[in-house]
């Protein structure tokens, strides 16, 4: 029996690229339009139970170091005081960090003075929050020339706001 | 003599492969960078900067994010209220925590993330913290924008 060639031609299977490219471009436009550059954020962890006594060694209760910050009506910083001593106006937070480092020392182990020391921030209610963060940064650590961070005081609390 | 003119039909097809490759790479790039966790961000808040603010090593177990604008309003879960009216919202959050939305906890297990504007008043931040303390929240994270470390200070 002779089998005839039925005349089936070799069919070229062509993929329809146009719809795929359309979708791909739409996706691309969606991602470009919704793209937002998000800057990295970090936290200062503060534990502040209401009215609780300072935790630490009960045999050696630590008196919190007091930092007072004053402001003008516009919320700009006018003075930083550590235990009632005014820090120099040109770099108050640098001076504050240096004074804290003098007091707590460079040893920052778990039983060190820095680990047990508390800091109480007494801020003018009008003061801009950025100065509060500057003060917390100054008190909580120091960046060494090689980029390493040395931790100082971690127990930070606020003076209770005046009752209305 | 007869010449037969044999001109073949030239198909002018451009090679799409490199373009599609590039497009897919661009899509992959944007997909990787897209930030779905925008619930704890608000573009109205300009955070203060600090070199020492470090991102948390692990995500907080029970985060409660409060945004404080420079006008003194608090944005919580998409709702913007004056500072004086934030207490009912926090009470609601407290009851969610206690009733087991996150698996029966106490407010002291939650971390209140405070994203205050750099120009917000310190007194208002303190009031907000005091309000939270009144509802037995104990752990706070004061959020700041990370500043690049450029040598020592």
């Amino acid at each position: 029996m002779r089998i005839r060639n039925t005349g089936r031609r070799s069919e070229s299977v062509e993929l329809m690229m146009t719809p795929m490219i359309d979708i791909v471009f739409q996706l691309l436009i969606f991602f470009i339009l919704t793209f937002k550059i998000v800057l990295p954020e970090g936290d200062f962890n503060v534990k502040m139970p209401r009215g609780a006594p300072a935790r630490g060694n009960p045999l050696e209760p630590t008196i919190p170091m007091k930092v007072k910050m004053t402001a003008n009506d516009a919320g700009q910083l006018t003075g930083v005081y550590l235990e009632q001593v005014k820090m120099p106006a040109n770099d108050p937070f640098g001076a504050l960090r240096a004074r804290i480092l003098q007091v707590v020392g460079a040893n920052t182990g778990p039983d060190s003075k820095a680990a047990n020391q508390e800091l109480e921030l007494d801020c003018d209610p009008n003061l801009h929050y950025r100065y509060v963060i500057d003060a917390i940064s100054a008190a909580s650590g120091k960046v060494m020339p090689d980029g390493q961070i040395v931790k100082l005081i971690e127990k930070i609390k606020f003076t209770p706001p005046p009752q209305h | 003599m007869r010449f037969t003119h044999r001109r073949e039909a030239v198909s002018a097809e451009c090679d799409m492969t490199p373009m599609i490759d590039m497009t897919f790479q661009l899509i992959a790039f944007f997909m990787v960078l897209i930030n779905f966790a925008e619930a704890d961000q608000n573009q109205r808040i300009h955070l203060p900067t600090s070199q020492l603010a470090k991102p948390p090593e692990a995500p907080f177990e029970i985060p409660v994010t409060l945004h404080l604008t420079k006008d003194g309003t608090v944005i919580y879960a998409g709702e913007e209220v004056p500072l004086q009216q934030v207490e009912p919202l926090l009470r609601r959050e407290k009851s969610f925590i206690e009733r087991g939305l996150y698996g029966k906890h106490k407010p002291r297990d939650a971390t209140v993330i405070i994203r205050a504007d750099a120009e917000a008043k310190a007194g208002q931040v303190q009031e907000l913290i005091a309000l939270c303390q009144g509802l037995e929240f104990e752990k706070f994270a004061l959020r700041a924008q990370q500043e690049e470390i450029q040598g020592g200070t």
Side-chain angles (χ1 to χ4, degrees):
Chain A
M1 194 177 130
R2 195 175 165 193
I3 299 169
R4 279 190 181 181
N5 193 342
T6 49
R8 190 184 287 166
R9 287 179 200 165
S10 59
E11 288 173 10
S12 66
V13 181
E14 275 193 19
L15 206 66
M16 285 285 285
M17 298 293 275
T18 322
M20 189 190 77
I21 294 168
D22 284 354
I23 292 290
V24 164
F25 273 107
Q26 284 195 21
L27 274 171
L28 187 62
I29 288 165
F30 166 77
F31 283 119
I32 289 171
L33 292 181
T34 55
F35 181 63
K36 256 184 247 168
I37 297 169
V38 179
L39 295 164
E41 295 179 3
D43 294 318
F44 289 103
N45 294 313
V46 184
K47 196 170 183 185
M48 286 190 287
R50 189 182 212 185
R55 284 186 191 172
N57 187 350
L59 299 173
E60 291 178 43
T62 52
I63 300 165
M65 224 183 251
K66 284 196 177 174
V67 173
K68 185 175 179 168
M69 288 190 282
T70 54
N72 58 18
D73 290 340
Q76 299 298 320
L77 185 75
T78 53
V80 179
Y81 301 81
L82 175 66
E83 303 291 3
Q84 297 179 338
V85 176
K86 191 173 184 182
M87 299 293 117
N90 55 348
D91 183 16
F93 297 109
L96 178 69
R97 183 180 288 120
R99 289 296 299 272
I100 288 172
L101 197 59
Q102 271 179 9
V103 175
V104 299
N107 178 16
T108 53
D111 288 326
S112 62
K113 201 172 176 187
N116 292 316
Q117 181 65 54
E118 277 199 346
L119 185 95
E120 189 175 306
L121 284 175
D122 180 8
C123 311
D124 189 299
N126 270 335
L127 184 72
H128 282 169
Y129 179 63
R130 80 162 72 96
Y131 300 112
V132 179
I133 291 293
D134 285 343
I136 293 175
S137 299
S140 62
K142 179 177 167 63
V143 181
M144 302 308 283
D146 59 352
Q148 288 281 323
I149 294 172
V150 174
K151 283 184 182 174
L152 296 173
I153 300 173
E154 288 187 66
K155 292 177 183 171
I156 294 167
K157 63 180 182 180
F158 289 98
T159 304
Q163 298 297 316
H164 298 297
Chain B
M1 197 174 140
R2 195 177 169 193
F3 292 100
T4 48
H5 197 79
R6 270 194 182 178
R7 189 181 289 170
E8 285 178 11
V10 179
S11 66
E13 273 187 17
C14 67
D15 189 6
M16 302 287 273
T17 320
M19 189 192 75
I20 294 168
D21 282 355
M22 275 307 297
T23 315
F24 273 112
Q25 283 196 24
L26 279 170
I27 286 179
F29 170 76
F30 284 113
M31 276 175 78
V32 168
L33 288 190
I34 197 166
N35 182 21
F36 288 109
E38 282 187 10
D40 63 344
Q41 302 244 335
N42 192 301
Q43 300 302 314
R44 272 178 62 194
I45 309 289
H46 299 285
L47 292 177
T49 56
S50 171
Q51 286 187 336
L52 293 168
K54 55 179 192 316
E57 284 158 9
F60 296 116
E61 195 185 356
I62 309 170
V64 179
T65 308
L66 299 172
H67 307 267
L68 180 67
T69 65
K70 62 179 177 182
D71 308 317
T73 56
V74 177
I75 303 169
Y76 172 66
E79 258 180 276
E80 186 169 355
V81 290
L83 184 56
Q84 295 76 23
Q85 292 169 24
V86 78
E87 197 175 345
L89 300 180
L90 288 172
R91 246 176 231 291
R92 192 176 66 192
E93 183 65 34
K94 185 189 168 187
S95 69
F96 283 153
I97 292 167
E98 286 172 339
R99 276 190 288 163
L101 188 70
Y102 301 100
K104 290 221 173 176
H105 284 89
K106 296 207 164 157
R108 65 166 177 263
D109 301 322
T111 307
V112 180
I113 301 166
I114 295 181
R115 293 185 83 250
D117 193 283
E119 289 185 18
K121 290 179 179 173
Q124 289 172 334
V125 177
Q126 280 182 262
E127 270 183 59
L128 189 58
I129 289 173
L131 264 172
C132 296
Q133 284 175 315
L135 294 168
E136 297 168 29
F137 289 98
E138 289 185 4
K139 286 190 264 180
F140 298 89
L142 304 178
R143 195 151 275 188
Q145 196 173 296
Q146 251 185 323
E147 199 179 334
E148 211 171 299
I149 295 173
Q150 301 158 341
T153 49

